[in-house]
Structures are given as structure tokens and as C-alpha cells.
Amino acid sequence: MAKGLPKRGNDYSAWYNELVKKADLAENSAVRGCMVIKPYGYAIWEKMQQTLDKMFKDTGHSNAYFPLLIPKSYLSKEADHVDGFAKECAVVTHYRLKNAEDGSGVVVDPDAKLDEELIIRPTSETVIWSTYKNWIQSYRDLPLKVNQWANVMRWEMRTRLFLRTSEFLWQEGHTAHSTKGEAIEETKQMLDVYADFAENFMAVPVVKGVKTANERFAGAVDTFCIEAMMQDGKALQAGTSHFLGQNFAKAFDVKFSDKDNKLEHVWGTSWGVSTRLMGALIMAHSDDEGLVLPPKLAPIQVVIVPIYKSQEQLDAISEKAKEIQKALQALNISVKFDDRDLRPGFKFADWELKGVPVRLAMGQRDLENGTVEIARRDTKEKNTYQLDGVIESIQKLLDDVQENIFNKAFDYREAHITPVDTFDEFKDVLENKGGFIAAHWDGTSETEDKIKDLTKATIRCIPLNNKQEEGACILTGNPSTQRVLFAKAY
Amino acid sequence: MAKGLPKRGNDYSAWYNELVKKADLAENSAVRGCMVIKPYGYAIWEKMQQTLDKMFKDTGHSNAYFPLLIPKSYLSKEADHVDGFAKECAVVTHYRLKNAEDGSGVVVDPDAKLDEELIIRPTSETVIWSTYKNWIQSYRDLPLKVNQWANVMRWEMRTRLFLRTSEFLWQEGHTAHSTKGEAIEETKQMLDVYADFAENFMAVPVVKGVKTANERFAGAVDTFCIEAMMQDGKALQAGTSHFLGQNFAKAFDVKFSDKDNKLEHVWGTSWGVSTRLMGALIMAHSDDEGLVLPPKLAPIQVVIVPIYKSQEQLDAISEKAKEIQKALQALNISVKFDDRDLRPGFKFADWELKGVPVRLAMGQRDLENGTVEIARRDTKEKNTYQLDGVIESIQKLLDDVQENIFNKAFDYREAHITPVDTFDEFKDVLENKGGFIAAHWDGTSETEDKIKDLTKATIRCIPLNNKQEEGACILTGNPSTQRVLFAKAY
């Protein structure tokens, strides 16, 4: 166990907080709720960005950049949107500081008050749709498929590193289409992209579904989501894709002339994932020794630790190790040769804490025998390999680790989806087992609110392609046609 | 000439403004001084980012992310720094909006006033050094070499797309070292990286130099810079690298224990380039027909335009064109096949406006003869090539264009560095020829200010490895040991 890391089983929450700090991923800053993402954490985020960015481009999107600041009045143009975001906006009111007359430092210059206050974007629909108005005239300008990588700000009262911070990094896609059908198709396509990324890169299985009205994005007609399950049985919303209908097009008067020269409002979508994914990645796989990273997103995929008693031994081992490093790097595998002047045991613990998927150790005996000891981070299994053919073995091991941690998370989730038919059962499972609870619900926001008040559980989603069956709402007994997924959530 | 694009010779400023908009690079937003970077412009910026990011990593830097918002009090901790930045800060004073009682929209909620105002980072030295205090204890924690890609905000009164905007995108490197010598070496290394990037990727020749006290970064001991010359003879500062001495270490109490366990303040550097480089790129090479992009940063390096009179012809040409496209793409050359239903002349003008370095045109006759017409954007030279061997010809052409536009800019600059020995001559050259003026200066800020007041010219830099020679200041006649470069600047 990493020094000072609490055990997951004892205090999951403390374990997470400490792990984020001890593994050098992120820390709190002096500004309440705003984090510093440290180099090792940022390197993981960069891998996520690169992978997603390619997926967005492969599906025909281009990147662009829109202003950080949004005129206050823009927010009000879409009625639901302002209700959803006004309560957590950072507001810029002045554009200059000046020296305090008492010499105590700088103060806001009252002569530099803005005519209209500006808010720091909590999301960019308003500023983007106000721009799209100028970009879209005709059906020939559609579809317009733009993505932005940016920082956004939502003033949160209770924050946690990566999971809920006042400032966070994200991408937000904003597309405009000539037909409703095409916009819905885009919404679902991006949901599929997110699910593909979560499962095949993060190794986190997700349920694709649609949100209920209560949990819908402020301004959307429908919000689709991917929901993941953490190791404590709580749910984490990992990405959302919104079908906006014509709501923002109407709010910002964005029309196009179709092939018959008829003016119509444009159909929109928006979709985003954020540094919250870092939280999901950490919580889905890691253990009491530290991070467990999927090889596809690990900044360091393989570490080589020399075990030596003399400079001479170190030199001989280094030579062999660097051959292996070079061969792996030629295959685009990132390798660290750790020749720091520290005890091997310390290094092992350090790289376990950092979640490096595969660790090689080489000592004098290995040199003599033409072998190397290889340990995998996920199962902690250790084996001695012949150097002959070791490159292929490592490649296979990386694939195995990627697959195994997905399967482990998948099995955990499958074991924690529990169908229940009564409210007592519901409360019992929620309290003693956790996970997703598949239960009938009468379809009203009122019932959903009541269940939330009574249990803190929310409806995470109505799964796509959900099985239709007759049933009775667990709370009201009213008729229902399908089970929805409830859970306590991050 | 692109429709509606003013001629450079008539109105350079209008030409620039219109070119930025018509080539779909950027536009103004509703928030004063904040721009929208459009997809085509952003694609160029992305290429710049990728190239620079690799150069930073190759020189041992890691990326990280620090908060957007900075407590007002942080700014005051370094005396020069606050003087330099307080006058142009966007200030966040509240964290919530609420519905206006008269139903007119949302207003600032007076109950949500921050205890301490926060400013949007104009640069991140303060927040980063306040963090480094916790990261640095011992010499083993040094050097610390971190870079950040971020948006920053400086409230500018007069703005121009890319060149001077209130919000801009940039990277800022912030490093900490145990010795003065190492910090100075880092400062100069990053200046070299910037010069390498400007010359070998942007194809913009630059002078490396050091700023005078007047033009120094607020909080630095020395500011090094690369200075470029635009086609109107004005200078543009394209990047800066600052040796911070121990100024920020002292302001934020960042000390390390050296090998003898003695506590010392850390030595610092910071360095940055921004979306301003986009302005430099545009102004250095483009012409009355539109952008001229260096192949190494062009989002589309080659465009293929089919010339056809029937669907049958188009199909036959498409087949050939796609073979060429595929072969070029295999060499990592980005190729657009433009089969839009538009006149070839319109397409030619469009791709000239967008600055695509190499254009292929293929018609029926080419098909019959096994040829293709190739035009290069920089010289507008057109030639017919045999398809056999055309891939190598295109590769060579891209290299030629890259080299030629650098040489053209280099020759222009060399022809516009004028040594003068009297103030009358100085004014005459400044007025009638422009460019850099190499003149003797007595070394005082007072003289520099006077020359600026009289002529609007500033000292762009004291070139590195400057020739030492005896002379007399052009304004005061006082003795001087070297010529410095004056110019009017963006």
C-alpha cells in the first residue's frame, strides 16, 4: 500500500482525494474550487484529448474558438438556459484595478465599470449561436459541425478534484443542421463516439441512455448520456449529447433558406466531455496501491527498473534496458528507464502509485540468464521472461491489461445492476449493495423528485433500446412500461 | 484579386483586416475586443501548437494547467508586475446572477459578492509561483520546467484581429532553476526555439535580441525577444523569453535547500508566444490575391481542381485525382479534392484566397496526355507535369515554396535594415522607407521616450552578439558603443 493512502474499503472518498494528490494528478489552488492539473495528470488528459480530437475529426468536425466572456443578456435569450446557469456564474463587472489610496495594494477602479456585465462561459451555446446567425444563410452552409476545446466556469459550492470544480477543461461540440432527423442522428453519433472512447480507451463500460426531464440540459429537447459505475457502486455521468431542437436557433434567430428558398430555423446539437473523465478513470480502476491506468491512456506504458549493486552492474543493465526501450519506442510504446539513485522497492511503489501498466525489473542474474522480470500493474502478477521475444510479450501484455481492466469493471457493473419491484427492496439494495437499480417508474418528475428526497437516488437514464414490459411504479404503483436505472451519483 | 480585397499598396491596414475575414480566419465577436477564431484559422493555429508543443517536449518541458482566476492580492506581490498589469484586468466581483424584479432579464445578485475580487489571468506568473512554493523544497525538485496552453485576457482599448485582442490564446512556459546561469541558459534556449519555429516553420526571418528597460516584461530582469518585419516595414514582436531572476521567487517566498542544506531563492524564467503569430504569418507573406501560407503550416497543402464538361469527364478525372490524393496522403501531405459544383475560376480564386501552396488542375486533355497542370501559390508560376513522377515533383515544389517565401521575406528585411547616423536621416528613413533603423542611442530611457514621442518609433531590440563600435546617440550626441534597432511596431 502506498504510504499514507487510505484503503478503498475503509473510506472510498478519502482514498480518492489522497490518490489524486499523491499520484501527482491535481491539487486545489488558492481560488476556491479551481484546481491545478499537475504535469502527470495533464499528460493523461492530453492523451484523452488527442484520442477524442481524432474521433471528432474522423466524423467530420473542425475545431474553432469562441470568446470566454458572454454578455449577460445573451444568457436570458433562451428561457430554460438562463434558469439552469444564472445561479452559478462568475461575473465580470470591471476592467481595471488601481492602486489603493492608503497604499494597501490594488482595488477595483470604480471608473472602469462595464456597461453590461459579462459572465465567464459556463457553456457556449449562447455565444456560438449568436455567431452562427452570421455564418448560416442557406442550406449550402449546413451542416455546420464545430468543436471547441476550452475552459468553462460554474461556481460550485461543494467541489472535488476533477469531479466537480468551478473551472474545468472540456470540449463542447456545437452543430447546426437543416433537418430534425439529421440533428438527432448527429446527437446519437456523438453519444456513440463517447461510448466508444469510454469503453475502448478508458476501459470503462457505460450504459447509453436518455435523461429524464429533471436531469436534462437547460435548453435541450433531449439529453443523451453515457453512465459509468464506480467501484463504490455510485454512478458517474461521463458524457452528454444534447438534441437542442430549434430552441437556440429561435432564441438567436438563426434561419436558413432551403432548396425551395423557404426560410426555416436551423436544428441544433451540442455535446461535451470534460476533465471529469479523469475522475471516472481514476475511480473505475485504481486500487489500494494507487492508480491503475489503461495502457491506451497511460503517459508511461512501460517502466524499466535496474537492480544493481555496483556502477559496473548498472552500466551493463542499462545497455540491455536501453535496447528494449528503443525497440518498444519504435512501436510507439512509451517507456521510462528509471535509473534514479533510489531503492528498487521505493521505485516499484512509486510506479504502482502512478499506475504504469507494465514494469520490467532487470538484475545481474537476469543479465546472466538472458531474462527479465515483468510485472503487470492490474493483477500484480510477476513472471520471468526470456529476452528473446520479449518485445512481443510486452505488446501482448499491454493488450491483456487493457482488456482485463475493462472486463473487471464490466463484471463489477453487471453484478451491480439489480432489478427491484418494491420500494423497500429499492431502499435495501441502495443502502447495502449500491450500483444501478432497474425499477419501474411512473414517468412523472414528481415521483422522481420524491424518490430523490427519500433516498438521494436519481434516475441516471432510460437505457436506449430498453426492454418494454408491463410493471408498476415502485413508489406510486402507477402503471409503467419499462424499467429505468436509478443510482446515487457523483 | 479576390473580390473586395483592398490592395496592400493602397491601404495595408484595410487589406489585412479584410483578408483575415474573407479568408475565414477570424472575426470580431459581440464582446468588445474578443475574437472568434474560425475553423480555417484555428486549423493553422493547431498546426502551430502541435509543432511548438513537440519542440517544448523535446527540450524537456511538460504541460500542466493552472487556474484562470487569480486573487487580486497576488498581483500586488511583485511590485513591477502589478504596475504592468493592473490597468488592463477583467475583474470578477460576483458569482451569481438572479432574475430582475421587473422581469427584464437577469441582474447581478448583490448577495453573491466575492470577499476578494478575482482577476482573469493576464499572464500566470503569480498563480504559478504561488503553486511552485509547494512543489519546490530541495535541489532535487529542480529544474521544474512546465508549459501551459491557455487563454489570457488583457483589456485593450484598441484591438485588431490576432494582433491585439482582449482575449487571446497562447502558451506560457514557467521554469524554476537552482542557479542563475541555468535560468539564463533556459531563457536563451527558448528564444532559440522560438526563432527556429518562426524561421523554419512560419518562414518568417527574425532578429534575436534583448529589450531595453522600457519594453521589458513587468517583473523580469531581462526580456529577450524575436522581432519580425512585416511587408509594410513595421516590426512585430513575435515571441518573448524572460529571465525573471529571483523576483517572483522572492515575491512568493519560493526557496530550495541546496546540496549543502542551505536555503536559497529559486531562479525563474517565463516565455510565451500567442495567436499574435497568426497576424505575423498573414502579414509577412500574403498578397493582393489573399493568403500565402508556408507549406509546413498550411492546413491544406495541395488542392486538386477537376475541369470538366460532363459527369463522365468528372468521373474519369476523379479516379486519377484520387490516386494522386492517396499517394500524397501516404506521405502525410494534406490534400483536398475540390469537386464542388462551382466554376473552376471561382475555385482557383477561393484557394488562392485561402493560401493553399500548391494547386493541381486536371481536365480532359490532361487525362488524354497523362499530364496535370500545377500552379504554386507564392510565385503563381504554372507548369504542365507528366503524371509519371508527379508525386516527387509536388514534394519538391512544397519544399521550394517553403524556402522561397522565407527567402523573399528575408531579402525584404535585409533591404529594410538601414543604418543612420543623424536624427534627420532617422526621421527621413522612418517616414519614407520604414523597416528597422540601426542607430546609436545613449542608453537612457529618457532618450528612448523622447524619440518615441517625436517619431512613434521604439527600440525593438538590442540584437544579440551585436557589433560593438564607437558612435554618438542620434538624438543627444552622447557616446554609444553599439547600434540598436528602431522601428514603428505593431
Side-chain angles (χ1 to χ4, degrees), chain A residues 340-472:
Chain A
R340 288 178 295 173
D341 185 18
L342 295 165
R343 283 184 305 106
F346 177 93
K347 293 182 192 177
F348 287 4
D350 192 32
W351 297 118
E352 277 175 5
L353 178 61
K354 297 274 174 68
V356 175
V358 168
R359 181 188 77 215
L360 275 59
M362 280 187 94
Q364 182 62 26
R365 186 120 54 110
D366 290 308
L367 269 193
E368 286 158 11
N369 298 343
T371 58
V372 60
E373 185 196 81
I374 304 185
R376 52 190 283 180
R377 175 65 184 88
D378 58 339
T379 60
K380 297 179 190 94
E381 206 181 328
K382 263 194 296 201
N383 280 302
T384 298
Y385 286 74
Q386 291 297 317
L387 281 181
D388 190 34
V390 77
I391 301 301
E392 293 71 26
S393 302
I394 292 168
Q395 277 186 290
K396 188 174 172 311
L397 207 47
L398 288 168
D399 291 343
D400 285 353
V401 172
Q402 182 80 30
E403 195 184 327
N404 176 57
I405 64 176
F406 175 83
N407 287 341
K408 200 177 152 200
F410 183 83
D411 291 346
Y412 178 86
R413 185 193 72 182
E414 291 303 291
H416 288 80
I417 301 181
T418 313
V420 309
D421 293 311
T422 69
F423 195 57
D424 281 342
E425 230 186 316
F426 182 93
K427 287 184 289 188
D428 178 54
V429 172
L430 195 66
E431 204 56 46
N432 299 309
K433 184 181 175 190
F436 293 146
I437 304 180
H440 281 280
W441 159 65
D442 65 16
T444 68
S445 293
E446 202 192 345
T447 299
E448 191 179 356
D449 285 338
K450 265 190 208 156
I451 293 174
K452 186 177 177 183
D453 287 346
L454 291 166
T455 66
K456 291 187 180 153
T458 51
I459 299 177
R460 302 317 305 154
C461 70
I462 305 163
L464 297 189
N465 310 316
N466 210 11
K467 196 180 122 197
Q468 299 297 300
E469 61 174 40
E470 282 188 21

Side-chain angles (χ1 to χ4, degrees), chain A residues 27 29-31 34-40 42-43 46 50 53 57 62-76 82-83 86-99 104-108 114 117-121 127 130-131 134-135 144 146 149 151 153 155 157 167 169, chain B residues 27 29-31 34-40 42-43 46 50 53 57 62-76 82-83 86-99 104-108 114 117-121 127 130-131 134-135 144 146 149 151 153 155 157 167 169:
Chain A
E27 65 185 35
S29 78
V31 178
C34 295
M35 66 181 159
V36 174
I37 306 179
K38 300 180 78 173
Y40 192 65
Y42 200 84
E46 277 184 306
Q50 283 157 11
D53 197 70
K57 284 176 177 154
S62 304
N63 288 329
Y65 188 76
F66 297 86
L68 171 73
L69 298 179
I70 299 180
K72 192 190 64 179
S73 59
Y74 278 30
L75 212 60
S76 309
V82 67
D83 286 347
K87 289 183 207 80
E88 50 183 29
C89 282
V91 190
V92 176
T93 56
H94 293 74
Y95 57 85
R96 195 163 62 219
L97 299 173
K98 63 169 192 175
N99 290 317
S104 64
V106 282
V107 293
V108 172
L114 290 168
E117 294 90 352
L118 300 167
I119 62 160
I120 300 179
R121 62 183 161 219
V127 69
S130 79
T131 306
N134 302 320
W135 292 4
L144 181 58
V146 174
W149 290 96
N151 53 344
M153 173 90 44
W155 206 266
M157 283 301 141
E167 182 189 14
L169 304 183
Chain B
E27 64 185 36
S29 79
V31 178
C34 296
M35 66 182 159
V36 174
I37 306 179
K38 300 180 77 171
Y40 191 64
Y42 200 85
E46 277 184 305
Q50 283 157 11
D53 197 70
K57 283 176 179 156
S62 303
N63 289 328
Y65 188 76
F66 297 86
L68 172 72
L69 298 179
I70 299 180
K72 190 190 62 178
S73 58
Y74 277 31
L75 212 59
S76 310
V82 67
D83 285 348
K87 289 183 207 80
E88 50 182 29
C89 282
V91 190
V92 176
T93 56
H94 293 75
Y95 58 83
R96 194 164 62 220
L97 298 173
K98 64 169 193 175
N99 290 317
S104 64
V106 283
V107 293
V108 172
L114 290 169
E117 293 90 351
L118 301 167
I119 61 160
I120 299 180
R121 61 182 163 220
V127 69
S130 79
T131 306
N134 303 319
W135 291 5
L144 183 57
V146 174
W149 290 96
N151 52 345
M153 173 91 44
W155 206 266
M157 282 303 142
E167 181 189 15
L169 303 183

Side-chain angles (χ1 to χ4, degrees), chain A residues 139-154:
Chain A
Y139 68 93
R140 278 181 295 260
D141 302 320
L142 298 172
L144 181 58
K145 296 165 73 175
V146 174
N147 176 60
Q148 161 170 280
W149 290 96
N151 53 344
V152 286
M153 173 90 44
R154 299 176 188 177

Side-chain angles (χ1 to χ4, degrees), chain B residues 19-233:
Chain B
L19 177 54
V20 170
K21 287 177 208 165
K22 284 194 196 300
D24 279 336
L25 301 176
E27 64 185 36
N28 290 305
S29 79
V31 178
R32 217 187 48 72
C34 296
M35 66 182 159
V36 174
I37 306 179
K38 300 180 77 171
Y40 191 64
Y42 200 85
I44 302 172
W45 175 242
E46 277 184 305
K47 283 216 153 189
M48 289 187 172
Q49 282 189 303
Q50 283 157 11
T51 308
L52 284 165
D53 197 70
K54 184 170 183 316
M55 292 171 113
F56 300 156
K57 283 176 179 156
D58 286 348
T59 46
H61 302 87
S62 303
N63 289 328
Y65 188 76
F66 297 86
L68 172 72
L69 298 179
I70 299 180
K72 190 190 62 178
S73 58
Y74 277 31
L75 212 59
S76 310
K77 295 204 178 190
E78 213 289 329
D80 289 332
H81 195 69
V82 67
D83 285 348
F85 290 104
K87 289 183 207 80
E88 50 182 29
C89 282
V91 190
V92 176
T93 56
H94 293 75
Y95 58 83
R96 194 164 62 220
L97 298 173
K98 64 169 193 175
N99 290 317
E101 279 170 23
D102 63 1
S104 64
V106 283
V107 293
V108 172
D109 185 343
D111 293 340
K113 190 171 186 317
L114 290 169
D115 292 335
E116 180 182 0
E117 293 90 351
L118 301 167
I119 61 160
I120 299 180
R121 61 182 163 220
T123 179
S124 300
E125 277 77 7
T126 58
V127 69
I128 288 180
W129 280 90
S130 79
T131 306
Y132 280 3
K133 183 177 167 55
N134 303 319
W135 291 5
I136 298 168
Q137 273 89 41
S138 133
Y139 68 91
R140 278 181 296 261
D141 301 320
L142 297 172
L144 183 57
K145 295 165 73 175
V146 174
N147 175 62
Q148 161 169 279
W149 290 96
N151 52 345
V152 286
M153 173 91 44
R154 298 176 189 176
W155 206 266
E156 299 281 355
M157 282 303 142
R158 298 177 63 185
T159 62
R160 281 187 84 181
L161 291 167
F162 290 124
L163 296 172
R164 194 171 293 279
T165 49
S166 292
E167 181 189 15
F168 55 91
L169 303 183
W170 80 342
Q171 61 67 219
E172 45 182 326
H174 296 270
T175 71
H177 306 266
S178 54
T179 67
K180 179 178 177 181
E182 193 184 290
I184 291 176
E185 204 175 295
E186 166 81 8
T187 312
K188 290 189 175 168
Q189 174 186 250
M190 298 324 289
L191 190 74
D192 288 342
V193 164
Y194 287 157
D196 179 7
F197 175 73
E199 302 202 329
N200 296 315
F201 290 86
M202 294 174 64
V204 174
V206 291
V207 175
K208 292 190 275 188
V210 64
K211 289 286 185 192
T212 62
N214 276 15
E215 303 279 327
R216 196 178 285 152
F217 175 75
V221 171
D222 257 326
T223 287
F224 295 85
C225 62
I226 51 170
E227 293 285 327
M229 194 188 295
M230 302 296 100
Q231 292 180 74
D232 61 349

